[in-house]
Amino acid sequence: MATVTAGIIQSSIGRKYLMALSGLFLCTFLIVHMLGNLALFKDDGGQAFNEYTYFMTHNPLIKIIAYVNYAFILLHIFYSLTLTIYNRKARPESYALVNQSKSATWSSRNMGILGSVILIFLIVHMRTFWFEMKFGTMPTIQYDGNDMVLKDMYSVVAEAFSQVWYVALYVVSMFAIAFHLYHGFQSGFQTLGINHHKYTPIIKNIGMILFAVIIPALFAAMPLYFLILNL
Amino acid sequence: MKLTLKVWRQKNAENKGEFKTYQMDHVSEDMSFLEMFDVLNDDLVRKGEDTVAFDHDCREGICGMCSMYINGRPHGPLKGTTTCQLHMRHFKDGETITVEPWRATAFPIIKDLMVDRSAFDRIIQAGGYISINTGNAVDANSTPIPKLDADKAFDAASCIGCGACVATCKNASAMLFVSAKVSQLALLPQGQPERHQRVKKMVEIMDAEGFGNCTNTGACEVECPKGISLENIARMNRDFLVANVVD
């Protein structure tokens, strides 16, 4: 088994498998993250969202998946850098004139830039919510019919999303995610060797409709909702 | 037609190259791109200057020798066309045309527009063949092959190894070429005995030659003069995984 993995990882195709697998895992994570966060839209003083937050931070299975998720984010970043360095070496002197707009989509040619925007977003995002939840002093709240005192993540979210610059950063970042996944989702399948005349068009449509439109739009709607609420 | 040519001139792999501009005053629109370069070289010989080196052979679009990165695209602006089959009528009178060599670490420049593509040969030598003993020709009908498989194998085999895929790829990846050469044999019964060994060895040499990593932009498929499909790359990725797990 060790030689099998070594043989795969030391090759260009093997490193791409890891990019694809980690990327597709992160795609599934986004679906769960988005669905859970829909609780923010429930007009109940944040009860649904805070109870959901409590569940997500205390369920042992979710905790394990969360660490797998962090590991995959780091892996995805590590291999994107490794692959980029290899690819730079493969063409040290660039062309004076490149005309690629007709042969490849803009997103597919700018995955690195899009990924970097997403990384900056992630750092800000984790600092504001994850770090505060784990290490900060959070306001607490207790709801009727629930005797537990919950950390009031809802008010932290509402507070963060009352700032225009913060909301703007989120909306711009969701565009970056949309374009990143427009290429990334279907590209992951191609790398894993899944290219079929019947199923590839379906995969491409899922990538386009779900991952490049619906998910980023719903995520962007969350900060915008709080911003409008605060007007 | 009158044209301005910006041509990359470089003595050899060690020297630094630069663009030189040439005025072409009498270009016929019926000339092929290479014939226009013949005219340019004829002029240069008369003036006692060094001619522009470029690769060419059959001039029928089937050998894969001609190259040239024309106005930011390999083999120029036409789809499914090699440089030798590109005619000057596809350019505008008075246009400035920029011509560069293929640029990739694995394709060192020999001179001007001519690059060394022997990295492709070494990839083929690593496994792009089937080992069979010679003897009497076997009856063709003794090995039935489904029509669709035969067609796909033939489509992959139509790769002429020109290197346009590497030239256009933003990562200078050779995946389209290698996958076509892996697929043309992987799809046929004759290719099965060495299938796993072949894909492993060819990918190993592809990496060692210094080609970049595929990021699925799909530019290679669009620019390939023979229309080799990305399906081949997926097939190679699949075969590579199976080969590493099984062997």
Side-chain angles (χ1 to χ4, degrees):
Chain A
M1 191 64 206
T3 51
V4 172
T5 3
I8 292 176
I9 292 175
Q10 276 161 13
S11 76
S12 59
I13 297 183
R15 288 187 293 263
K16 283 163 40 58
Y17 287 147
L18 292 173
M19 276 305 274
L21 285 172
S22 54
L24 289 175
F25 180 87
L26 296 173
C27 281
T28 54
F29 157 76
L30 272 189
I31 299 176
V32 179
H33 189 25
M34 191 273 294
L35 288 176
N37 281 21
L38 288 177
L40 281 171
F41 292 125
K42 203 168 173 195
D43 193 15
D44 61 353
Q47 185 174 1
F49 184 72
N50 281 332
E51 281 170 358
Y52 162 71
T53 311
Y54 181 85
F55 170 77
M56 292 304 271
T57 45
H58 289 78
N59 184 301
L61 185 68
I62 301 276
K63 270 187 169 173
I64 294 167
I65 296 174
Y67 283 107
V68 172
N69 200 36
Y70 304 144
F72 273 146
I73 292 174
L74 294 176
L75 191 88
H76 200 71
I77 296 169
F78 174 77
Y79 278 106
S80 69
L81 292 175
T82 322
L83 290 167
T84 306
I85 292 166
Y86 270 99
N87 292 345
R88 288 277 156 83
K89 279 193 201 147
R91 177 171 294 134
E93 187 165 11
S94 48
Y95 291 106
L97 183 65
V98 178
N99 189 356
Q100 278 215 322
S101 55
K102 288 187 185 71
S103 53
T105 59
W106 182 86
S107 353
S108 74
R109 288 178 281 128
N110 292 284
M111 290 299 273
I113 296 166
L114 293 166
S116 306
V117 173
I118 297 168
L119 178 61
I120 294 167
F121 162 78
L122 269 184
I123 293 168
V124 175
H125 182 62
M126 297 283 277
R127 172 67 191 86
T128 320
F129 302 120
W130 179 85
F131 183 84
E132 283 303 314
M133 188 74 190
K134 276 234 138 128
F135 308 107
T137 41
M138 296 273 292
T140 53
I141 194 162
Q142 195 174 5
Y143 296 100
D144 294 338
N146 186 342
D147 22 301
M148 253 185 305
V149 180
L150 300 173
K151 286 189 179 179
D152 190 8
M153 186 48 117
Y154 184 84
S155 66
V156 176
V157 171
E159 163 72 23
F161 291 162
S162 65
Q163 306 160 70
V164 176
W165 71 270
Y166 202 82
V167 174
L169 173 80
Y170 267 60
V171 173
V172 170
S173 304
M174 288 315 114
F175 273 102
I177 289 195
F179 282 106
H180 198 75
L181 297 188
Y182 172 62
H183 174 70
F185 183 73
Q186 53 90 16
S187 171
F189 286 90
Q190 163 78 6
T191 296
L192 295 174
I194 302 163
N195 183 325
H196 190 274
H197 63 101
K198 241 189 206 166
Y199 304 111
T200 296
I202 299 174
I203 291 169
K204 285 191 175 172
N205 280 332
I206 293 175
M208 195 164 64
I209 297 164
L210 182 64
F211 286 100
V213 177
I214 297 179
I215 290 183
L218 283 170
F219 269 129
M222 291 162 192
L224 287 171
Y225 167 76
F226 281 97
L227 191 69
I228 292 164
L229 223 59
N230 269 300
L231 285 180
Chain B
M1 319 166 66
K2 280 190 200 303
L3 292 169
T4 307
L5 286 183
K6 262 180 78 183
V7 181
W8 186 260
R9 302 300 311 259
Q10 185 170 340
K11 239 188 178 141
N12 51 44
E14 285 75 40
N15 280 42
K16 258 188 91 71
E18 57 175 5
F19 279 107
K20 266 194 122 172
T21 307
Y22 300 99
Q23 281 301 327
M24 303 285 289
D25 291 335
H26 303 289
V27 176
S28 154
E29 52 187 27
D30 296 327
M31 281 177 183
S32 75
F33 206 81
L34 296 186
E35 282 162 350
M36 181 201 48
F37 264 84
D38 293 337
V39 171
L40 169 66
N41 276 343
D42 198 48
D43 283 350
L44 292 177
V45 169
R46 282 168 212 276
K47 287 185 202 158
E49 288 178 35
D50 191 21
T51 53
V52 180
F54 62 92
D55 265 323
H56 63 104
D57 192 6
C58 75
R59 299 205 179 195
E60 290 180 328
I62 53 171
C63 78
M65 270 316 283
C66 58
S67 50
M68 296 196 193
Y69 198 77
I70 301 160
N71 281 347
R73 300 182 74 179
H75 296 297
L78 277 198
K79 209 175 152 54
T81 309
T82 53
T83 301
C84 63
Q85 295 296 304
L86 173 68
H87 289 85
M88 298 317 294
R89 55 180 165 271
H90 299 292
F91 294 89
K92 285 193 276 304
D93 191 28
E95 198 176 336
T96 300
I97 306 174
T98 308
V99 188
E100 297 176 71
W102 287 174
R103 292 192 192 278
T105 306
F107 288 166
I109 293 177
I110 299 171
K111 188 175 188 290
D112 301 331
L113 303 173
M114 199 183 242
V115 297
D116 178 0
R117 284 170 283 185
S118 57
F120 272 9
D121 299 337
R122 289 186 289 275
I123 293 172
I124 295 292
Q125 281 160 12
Y129 52 81
I130 50 169
S131 307
I132 43 163
N133 297 319
T134 50
N136 288 339
V138 184
D139 181 67
N141 293 326
S142 65
T143 316
I145 299 166
K147 172 81 167 79
L148 194 64
D149 289 356
D151 284 352
K152 280 187 174 175
F154 189 81
D155 285 347
S158 64
C159 165
I160 52 176
C162 66
C165 46
V166 175
T168 193
C169 176
K170 75 188 249 294
N171 312 314
S173 166
M175 290 283 277
L176 194 67
F177 166 78
V178 182
S179 69
K181 299 301 176 190
V182 163
S183 289
Q184 67 185 11
L185 300 173
L187 284 158
L188 298 176
Q190 292 87 342
Q192 299 315 309
E194 290 154 306
R195 184 171 182 172
H196 293 157
Q197 223 184 329
R198 175 182 308 116
V199 67
K200 277 165 86 173
K201 280 190 178 165
M202 288 176 81
V203 169
E204 188 193 324
I205 301 299
M206 172 184 83
D207 288 348
E209 290 290 345
F211 292 104
N213 301 275
C214 171
T215 54
N216 302 327
T217 69
C220 52
E221 183 186 50
V222 176
E223 300 291 14
C224 174
K226 296 294 158 187
I228 303 293
S229 154
L230 290 181
E231 215 187 302
N232 293 303
I233 297 184
R235 182 177 298 106
M236 178 164 79
N237 288 344
R238 215 155 55 219
D239 272 16
F240 183 78
L241 181 64
V242 173
N244 270 286
V245 172
V246 174
D247 274 6

